[in-house]
Amino acid sequence: MDNYLASGNIKDSDHFYFNLGFELLNGCQFNCKGCHVNKEGAEPFSDEMYEQLMSIMGSFSAKNSYKPFIAFINPTDFLSADNIIQVLSDPRVVKVLNHFKRLSFQTTYLNISKAEAVGEVLREHYSNMELEFNILIEPDKVDNIKYLNTLQVNQDKVHEIINWPTKIRRFGIMNVFDYNSTKIAELIKDYDYLHKRVQHLFETTIDFNFSLGRKDSKLSSDEFYKAANDIKTMFNDSIVTEEKSEYLRFSFGRLNDSLIEKQYNWKNGVFYYSPLLYERYISFIPDLEIPIAEYTSEEFEAFEEKIQLEQYLNAGKMDECEQCPLLGSCVDRGILYLMDIHDITKCLVAKNAMHVVNGMGALPHGSN
Amino acid sequence: MIIREAIVPLPIDQIKEYFNDKSITFEIDYAKSKLKDTVFLTYLSNLDVPSDIKLSKDFDIEDTYKLIDAYMNISSISKIPFLEMIVAHILLRAVAVDTDEVLFNPFLTNEQVDKYIETRQDQVAKWVHFIDSTPLYLIYMFKGLNEVLEVENNFNVIDEAQYTGYNIVNMFNIPGFYNLYMTSCTSTTPMSFFKPQFTEYMFKGKSFFEYFNNKNNHSISMLSLAIEDKIPVDPKEIFGDIANG
């Protein structure tokens, strides 16, 4: 299994990675369970946005010890989005995105009728970049052979149509929602089972996407905790042996996953902090907004330093964080910040799985 | 080596400086740092860059004890020479080694160390127990020898990864410490086989061997040479009737 490329230790690195999620796409014909994307929320790309983003890209550069790595083209299925061609062929967007090494898209592969046109625009404007296609799989359909076959066939067809000179990376995503509401709840909650059903469709593991963070207002404490705790339970129950730890990229498993990789989201001219809770947490609530005026990396760094210190100083208020050896990693991921803004003191992290994955010795029985 | 004075958390600019110059070691002013005790050590362990602590001798002794507590109990590993030497002092005193002859200008006085041992008897005893038991690990490393002695079957087994803090692995790389400890100590603690510590990759994904076998601890290479008859020592003379516990 490949490791996430941007993972690394400070001592082995000479720069930070800079990832940015762009809310650019509008329109999607699907209604996937657990999806809370505002399908028409992206405002038209303006000259002002362009100037601001170019300033940001100039600052997140080698001179300031950054390498732009992945541009996530969000939020809808790119093969289904109404404005995909318009966005990707906009010369201003082309210029901004070409600062990155890789473009990342997500798709259900359920409608691939635009694949030819998308391929053309990608080859014309982004031919020097890597591509990453994240396949969004509906967890309650993993026993549906016809559905899985469609994904497989369409994925192969799209890759053939896009005809990219370098290998297109493939990752798998499932939305987090109340799996008890499905007919196969017990199966879905078994990570091993899920993984084996769909592992042929992508390279590594399933990333669990907390799309519910995209709701217009901040989640209630109970709503947020339940979603995080369901995934925590699944990982702890399913993945607590070293043999199984080979599955784990899960955007989360390694202690250093967020040490040198910095990720933010951009929506309609505003930048947002993006914590890493099993998968990058995308939300546009004011608590996550990064206050900037000059559009420089220094303003992002000031925000990072502020919430880093806040999280460490708040560790004592949390139920388990202060004495936990995973604390540093959770701070890097912004997990204590998420806990704090949602008034949660209980641990959100699958500690048993983390200990196994990171070779830290199994926790005593009864720990979670 | 370049020394950079710092406090923690390190400002991003200092991390960037380290990106460009890996010869930098950070000398952390603990008193001025915004993080303390376990959180301080967790931060440094997670950051994992060369660092040491700077502390004035008039720093509050109880706060110093709290930092030592954190170092000895935390389930992560931080390479901090300042704390390693303090803990070495504590362990040597705990097993009645005369430290005046071997430690020059130690940070804590013998009286301060003795008070620490007196007030943390269980914690110190666990560290002593583990170090006292390392000859079993040494035997366990040699398949042929252990086929005879079967230390994992003939000794009390402790199956508790968090029995001591993980920084105990740093002790074996302190110049002279292990040899002095093993040759001078008067401890009578019965040895135990520490199952997770001796058999799993639990120390930052590494086995205990990675920490135990180093340029400052020749016990593995000495035993290897002895077994191969390259030095005139019979392992049985070292371990005696060890199979009987």
Side-chain angles (χ1 to χ4, degrees):
Chain A
M1 295 261 180
D2 286 344
N3 287 325
Y4 200 28
L5 288 177
S7 295
N9 292 316
I10 298 278
K11 66 182 178 189
D12 303 321
S13 309
D14 59 11
H15 58 268
F16 292 111
Y17 287 101
F18 171 64
N19 298 337
L20 190 55
F22 294 84
E23 298 286 304
L24 286 167
L25 303 182
N26 279 329
C28 178
Q29 69 193 93
F30 305 111
N31 291 299
C32 300
K33 278 191 183 140
C35 174
H36 295 277
V37 164
N38 178 351
K39 296 177 186 174
E40 302 297 335
E43 293 174 4
F45 198 77
S46 67
D47 285 343
E48 186 185 11
M49 292 172 181
Y50 169 72
E51 294 298 335
Q52 291 166 352
L53 282 166
M54 287 302 281
S55 173
I56 289 290
M57 297 315 303
S59 191
F60 278 102
S61 59
K63 70 179 180 193
N64 286 323
S65 301
Y66 288 94
K67 277 189 184 172
F69 182 33
I70 306 178
F72 296 90
I73 311 304
N74 294 330
T76 58
D77 178 340
F78 81 110
L79 294 174
S80 175
D82 298 332
N83 62 346
I84 181 70
I85 303 301
Q86 179 196 339
V87 164
L88 290 183
S89 56
D90 183 322
R92 299 166 301 182
V93 174
V94 171
K95 203 158 182 185
V96 170
L97 296 184
N98 267 276
H99 283 87
F100 292 87
K101 184 178 182 186
R102 182 187 297 178
L103 290 179
S104 174
F105 299 93
Q106 55 187 323
T107 179
T108 61
Y109 283 119
L110 295 177
N111 179 350
I112 62 170
S113 58
K114 290 182 184 168
E116 289 278 5
V118 171
E120 271 182 37
V121 75
L122 285 173
R123 285 189 296 275
E124 183 177 350
H125 298 296
Y126 306 95
S127 59
N128 59 334
M129 298 179 73
E130 296 176 1
L131 293 182
E132 164 184 317
F133 293 166
N134 296 274
I135 177 169
L136 196 128
I137 304 164
E138 299 235 47
D140 58 342
K141 291 183 182 168
V142 294
D143 272 347
N144 183 332
I145 303 294
K146 191 178 167 193
Y147 169 74
L148 293 181
N149 283 344
T150 301
L151 299 189
Q152 172 92 65
V153 168
N154 284 353
Q155 179 173 242
D156 289 348
K157 207 176 283 181
V158 168
H159 281 235
E160 190 183 324
I161 291 168
I162 300 290
N163 188 25
W164 208 246
T166 55
K167 181 186 170 191
I168 299 173
R169 306 297 303 267
R170 298 180 302 159
F171 300 118
I173 300 174
M174 288 186 185
N175 284 332
V176 173
F177 59 95
D178 185 357
Y179 294 159
N180 286 322
S181 66
T182 69
K183 289 178 183 169
I184 56 169
E186 290 312 309
L187 292 178
I188 293 179
K189 287 193 269 188
D190 179 348
Y191 182 85
D192 268 352
Y193 183 79
L194 277 185
H195 184 86
K196 282 170 186 158
R197 294 296 300 161
V198 298
Q199 62 182 340
H200 58 288
L201 294 169
F202 48 84
E203 297 172 41
T204 57
T205 58
I206 303 162
D207 290 332
F208 289 93
N209 175 33
F210 283 72
S211 180
L212 67 176
R214 288 176 167 275
K215 287 184 176 180
D216 289 339
S217 57
K218 187 159 69 179
L219 301 178
S220 72
S221 179
D222 287 347
E223 190 177 13
F224 182 82
Y225 179 73
K226 185 183 181 318
N229 194 53
D230 283 351
I231 302 304
K232 167 185 170 175
T233 304
M234 180 166 65
F235 274 116
N236 271 346
D237 288 353
S238 303
I239 307 165
V240 290
T241 65
E242 289 189 28
E243 295 74 43
K244 289 180 184 174
S245 72
E246 70 176 75
Y247 293 162
L248 290 189
R249 178 178 80 103
F250 75 96
S251 280
F252 153 81
R254 304 287 169 189
L255 288 182
N256 58 14
D257 268 349
S258 224
L259 202 53
I260 59 168
E261 184 188 28
K262 305 294 175 188
Q263 186 159 321
Y264 309 97
N265 296 307
W266 174 92
K267 182 176 184 181
N268 300 335
V270 182
F271 291 86
Y272 298 85
Y273 179 61
S274 188
L276 181 58
L277 180 65
Y278 298 97
E279 174 57 290
R280 285 290 175 184
Y281 190 79
I282 302 176
S283 179
F284 305 107
I285 57 175
D287 303 82
L288 296 175
E289 185 177 333
I290 300 171
I292 55 173
E294 304 297 323
Y295 296 91
T296 63
S297 57
E298 285 84 356
E299 292 168 297
F300 288 70
E301 290 166 357
F303 181 85
E304 291 263 6
E305 287 180 338
K306 175 177 163 286
I307 65 161
Q308 180 194 49
L309 183 60
E310 274 177 21
Q311 290 181 93
Y312 275 116
L313 296 179
N314 278 339
K317 297 178 192 165
M318 307 302 179
D319 293 353
E320 301 172 39
C321 297
E322 192 169 28
Q323 300 297 322
C324 178
L326 305 177
L327 172 63
S329 175
C330 287
V331 168
D332 292 338
R333 297 164 200 274
I335 291 176
L336 277 83
Y337 190 65
L338 277 179
M339 291 166 72
D340 191 35
I341 63 179
H342 290 96
D343 292 325
I344 290 168
T345 58
K346 292 181 193 167
C347 176
L348 301 178
V349 170
K351 285 208 269 190
N352 282 350
M354 289 284 281
H355 271 250
V356 171
V357 171
N358 291 288
M360 299 169 73
L363 289 170
H365 293 297
S367 302
N368 54 21
Chain B
M1 183 172 74
I2 298 171
I3 305 289
R4 280 280 177 274
E5 292 190 1
I7 60 167
V8 300
L10 256 61
I12 288 177
D13 282 345
Q14 283 194 308
I15 294 173
K16 288 181 179 178
E17 187 186 5
Y18 179 74
F19 277 156
N20 297 317
D21 187 350
K22 294 293 193 294
S23 71
I24 290 174
T25 290
F26 293 102
E27 189 178 68
I28 312 293
D29 187 329
Y30 182 71
K32 288 183 183 166
S33 286
K34 294 170 183 167
L35 309 180
K36 301 290 188 216
D37 307 326
T38 303
V39 173
F40 171 88
L41 293 174
T42 304
Y43 173 84
L44 282 185
S45 173
N46 183 60
L47 196 66
D48 199 17
V49 297
S51 55
D52 204 354
I53 291 176
K54 183 177 81 172
L55 200 56
S56 159
K57 286 202 174 184
D58 59 9
F59 187 70
D60 182 83
I61 188 62
E62 290 303 325
D63 286 340
T64 306
Y65 285 169
K66 279 169 68 182
L67 177 61
I68 300 165
D69 288 344
Y71 183 80
M72 292 184 75
N73 289 311
I74 195 169
S75 298
S76 62
I77 301 170
S78 312
K79 187 84 187 124
I80 303 172
F82 173 81
L83 288 171
E84 286 171 14
M85 290 309 296
I86 288 178
V87 176
H89 190 180
I90 290 166
L91 294 172
L92 291 171
R93 294 278 303 172
V95 295
V97 175
D98 181 2
T99 53
D100 292 340
E101 296 294 316
V102 290
L103 294 178
F104 301 100
N105 194 24
F107 182 78
L108 296 183
T109 65
N110 285 341
E111 292 70 33
Q112 288 170 324
V113 166
D114 291 345
K115 187 185 170 201
Y116 187 87
I117 295 168
E118 188 188 325
T119 52
R120 276 95 170 156
Q121 288 182 21
D122 186 50
Q123 173 188 309
V124 174
K126 284 183 171 179
W127 278 58
V128 167
H129 185 188
F130 183 86
I131 297 174
D132 283 355
S133 300
T134 49
L136 297 189
Y137 179 71
L138 196 53
I139 295 167
Y140 182 71
M141 283 291 92
F142 288 90
K143 197 178 170 189
L145 191 55
N146 198 42
E147 277 173 3
V148 178
L149 298 174
E150 293 185 17
V151 292
E152 67 273 38
N153 296 323
N154 288 311
F155 284 81
N156 172 47
V157 173
I158 292 181
D159 190 0
E160 186 186 346
Q162 284 79 30
Y163 185 79
T164 69
Y166 291 12
N167 280 315
I168 200 164
V169 299
N170 292 326
M171 294 294 109
F172 305 96
N173 200 18
I174 299 173
F177 169 78
Y178 187 62
N179 285 348
L180 180 67
Y181 181 100
M182 296 308 282
T183 54
S184 313
C185 99
T186 56
S187 169
T188 54
T189 316
M191 290 188 281
S192 296
F193 186 80
F194 285 84
K195 190 177 172 190
Q197 288 86 344
F198 291 174
T199 64
E200 295 176 10
Y201 292 83
M202 59 167 273
F203 298 109
K204 281 195 170 179
K206 296 177 182 174
S207 71
F208 180 54
F209 183 84
E210 301 275 339
Y211 299 90
F212 186 67
N213 184 44
N214 64 69
K215 65 181 184 343
N216 292 314
N217 175 16
H218 305 298
S219 53
I220 288 181
S221 50
M222 292 291 282
L223 183 55
S224 176
L225 291 170
I227 289 171
E228 292 168 13
D229 283 334
K230 290 180 180 169
I231 55 173
V233 178
D234 181 348
K236 287 174 185 165
E237 287 177 14
I238 301 175
F239 302 109
D241 197 13
I242 203 165
N244 294 328

